[in-house]
Amino acid sequence: MTVKKKIKPSPDRLAVLEKIEEYERLGLFDKDVEDDPPGRMLRPEDVKYLDARFVSRLKRGFSFGVARLFFYRLLRQKKLYLNPAVGVEHLAELDGGAVITCNHFHPFDSFIMQKVFDQSCRRGKMYRVIREGNYTSFPGFYGMLMRNCDTLPLSSDPATMKLFLKAVHKSLEEKNCVLIYAEQSLWWNYRKPKPLKSSAFEIAVRRGVPVVPCFITFLDTDTMGDDGFPVLAYTPHVGAPIYPDATLNRREAAEKMRVENERFCREVYERVYGCPLVYTTQKEA
């Protein structure tokens, strides 16, 4: 009889989980719990948004090809499991541009969302908004993906942000989708939906496009990962498009969309996990 060697949980992952517990208790939902490589300010000359030059198209094609091979290898090696997306027809039926939101809990959730977008068979591309430091400072394989796989990096430089917003608006006008992690933080394997920031919905209102809410749930499998934690089985859930309310001003319309998006995430969470959504956040006296 073969006895499987028990793998101890990674101390680094345990430290991250402890920090997540602390941040949830303090209500710091928009703060990252892991340290990314030090970033630098992204200047206008450092980035060419929606770059259609021949060399850039070659880099894009190569990077997407490598990314898909990498993701399929993860599936084949059973380092993650991906169930069919629920509600993908909501994305497939859209003819124009849209903002897509999704919970952010792992670097691989971007691969999952690309898979969902590809399965929808809708026209156009899905651009993803990323952090400034992810674009300027990530080395190696992930850095290549960050710079070449239809990304729209944010910037702490006002001049660059003008170019960023112009690119977002143009991509939506051309009937593409823009993936925005409205939680604005990545918490490793955090199952609960985090409160959403308003910027994604303000963009949707300004451009007159819907927001397509997505929420990925995940359950433990019997397979143990190299980090000592169970390999997860992911299920993407796509909600019906949320359209701006033309009877409200921009701020009110964006807030209404944000609330509806949070409601969708909460309903999926409670249905799949079979428990009410409750946070440990301590309220001020």
Side-chain angles (χ1 to χ4, degrees), residues 4 33 39 48 77 87 92 103 112 114 124 134 154 161 165-166 171 173 176 181 189 209 212 215 222 243 264 266:
K4 291 185 178 180
V33 296
K48 187 172 179 61
Q77 295 175 346
N103 52 321
I112 295 172
Q114 185 65 52
N134 289 359
L154 296 162
M161 278 302 294
L165 290 172
K166 184 177 180 181
S171 63
E173 287 176 354
N176 297 302
Y181 290 109
N189 287 0
V209 300
V212 179
F215 188 73
D222 294 332
Y243 289 88
F264 167 78
R266 182 177 65 252

Side-chain angles (χ1 to χ4, degrees), residues 73-81 108 226 231-232:
R73 188 178 297 115
L74 291 175
L75 294 171
R76 188 170 61 252
Q77 295 175 346
K78 297 183 178 179
K79 293 186 176 181
L80 65 82
Y81 296 83
F108 292 166
D226 295 336
V231 172
L232 300 175

Side-chain angles (χ1 to χ4, degrees), residues 28-33 102-104 129 131 154 180-187 194-202:
L28 302 177
F29 291 100
D30 58 352
K31 304 295 183 183
D32 283 328
V33 296
C102 180
N103 52 321
H104 201 18
V129 175
R131 290 178 62 253
L154 296 162
I180 301 178
Y181 290 109
E183 295 177 338
Q184 292 188 6
S185 65
L186 189 161
W187 287 11
K194 299 195 292 289
L196 305 179
K197 299 293 186 177
S198 62
S199 55
F201 309 98
E202 291 170 355

